[in-house]
Amino acid sequence: MNKKVYQNKHEVAEQFSAYFAGLAQGKDGFHIALSGGSTPKLIFDVLAKSYGNSIDWSKIHFYWGDERCVPPTDDESNYKMTADHLFSKIEVPETNIHRVLGENDPKGEAMRYANLLEINLDRVGGVPQFDLVLLGMGDDGHTASIFPHQINLWNAEDHCVVAVHPESGQKRVSINGTVINKAKEVIFLVTGSNKAEKVEEIHNQKGAYLKYPATLVQPESGRLVWFMDADAASKIA
């Protein structure tokens, strides 16, 4: 596990964007699973502004690690946020954008998306392999859309699952933990003081850390990087 701590979330966005540009450079094809949230929104702005013309976007294929079951025009859609802050500002082929159809029946869409991953990605041991998976972490320790109350979904047989938000009841389509841990590299993007307690428990293996899905992120490649701001890392720095 590699930890990178920066002063604030804006510096996290700047540093991750530079890191990503390096990862993508010279690749004939690069398949990435995106995350929603406020930090990715900043990152997409930085990528568009600072790297819009230097990254060969035609080589990058975009997917989502999870998506809310809402139409693509809904403000809660992870796809819409990415389109507003990145796709609308860069030259990327539409065929490179593989969104979760949040407006469709969740169970059927989870099956369709799992099949799409099997077709588009190389498979290792029967599991689709991303080049990079981006993850956030909730202040309850959830990641992607696998929440503590449904931690059993982590090892679900299907590559994509239907998860339910514990408070709102909103359904979400999410990749499972097996797909996450099969990725060549996994990066957590975690900012804010409200995340500090869970970050400490997970990194120091204390408290109720085994109940948090984020604890289960242990890529087989060993390439796991936490990009954090000083607030999120304040209890482990």
Side-chain angles (χ1 to χ4, degrees):
M1 183 192 301
N2 186 359
K3 298 187 287 290
K4 296 179 180 289
V5 181
Y6 302 101
Q7 185 175 354
N8 53 52
K9 61 184 179 180
H10 298 284
E11 190 176 353
V12 169
E14 295 278 355
Q15 294 295 329
F16 170 78
S17 296
Y19 186 88
F20 173 75
L23 286 179
Q25 186 175 13
K27 300 290 197 305
D28 284 336
F30 193 82
H31 298 262
I32 177 174
L34 300 175
S35 172
S38 60
T39 305
K41 183 187 296 185
L42 287 174
I43 285 168
F44 298 152
D45 286 338
V46 172
L47 283 172
K49 181 178 180 181
S50 300
Y51 300 93
N53 295 322
S54 58
I55 291 177
D56 185 353
W57 299 103
S58 70
K59 305 294 187 184
I60 301 175
H61 286 259
F62 295 95
Y63 306 80
W64 280 262
D66 67 318
E67 179 60 282
R68 299 174 175 93
C69 292
V70 296
T73 53
D74 193 295
D75 285 340
E76 289 202 343
S77 165
N78 287 338
Y79 162 78
K80 182 180 186 297
M81 186 269 282
T82 313
D84 289 348
H85 290 267
L86 182 61
F87 299 150
S88 63
K89 303 174 183 179
I90 63 173
E91 295 291 329
V92 57
E94 293 247 352
T95 51
N96 287 24
I97 300 170
H98 311 280
R99 74 176 183 90
V100 178
L101 306 180
E103 67 273 27
N104 288 358
D105 170 70
K107 188 174 181 180
E109 179 56 16
M111 293 176 62
R112 184 197 73 85
Y113 208 66
N115 187 57
L116 175 75
L117 299 184
E118 288 202 345
I119 292 170
N120 286 10
L121 304 180
D122 290 336
R123 277 181 277 174
V124 178
V127 180
Q129 184 179 58
F130 283 103
D131 293 295
L132 177 63
V133 171
L134 298 185
L135 296 173
M137 185 191 73
D139 54 15
D140 60 354
H142 86 265
T143 194
S145 275
I146 299 181
F147 296 89
H149 78 290
Q150 290 184 316
I151 198 168
N152 60 299
L153 292 178
W154 187 263
N155 293 314
E157 184 176 343
D158 297 326
H159 301 319
C160 295
V161 297
V162 179
V164 180
H165 189 279
E167 296 174 5
S168 68
Q170 182 187 62
K171 291 184 178 180
R172 303 179 178 188
V173 173
S174 178
I175 58 176
N176 72 1
T178 305
V179 174
I180 291 171
N181 282 335
K182 189 65 72 173
K184 293 179 182 177
E185 184 162 355
V186 180
I187 292 180
F188 269 110
L189 301 165
V190 182
T191 60
S193 58
N194 60 316
K195 310 292 177 67
E197 181 180 334
K198 294 297 187 292
V199 166
E200 180 195 19
E201 290 186 44
I202 290 168
H203 284 254
N204 294 333
Q205 297 187 348
K206 59 182 285 190
Y209 78 101
L210 289 175
K211 296 182 179 180
Y212 309 141
T215 295
L216 303 178
V217 178
Q218 298 171 12
E220 294 174 12
S221 66
R223 295 178 65 183
L224 172 62
V225 186
W226 288 69
F227 278 76
M228 295 178 281
D229 67 357
D231 286 340
S234 61
K235 294 181 182 295
I236 61 168

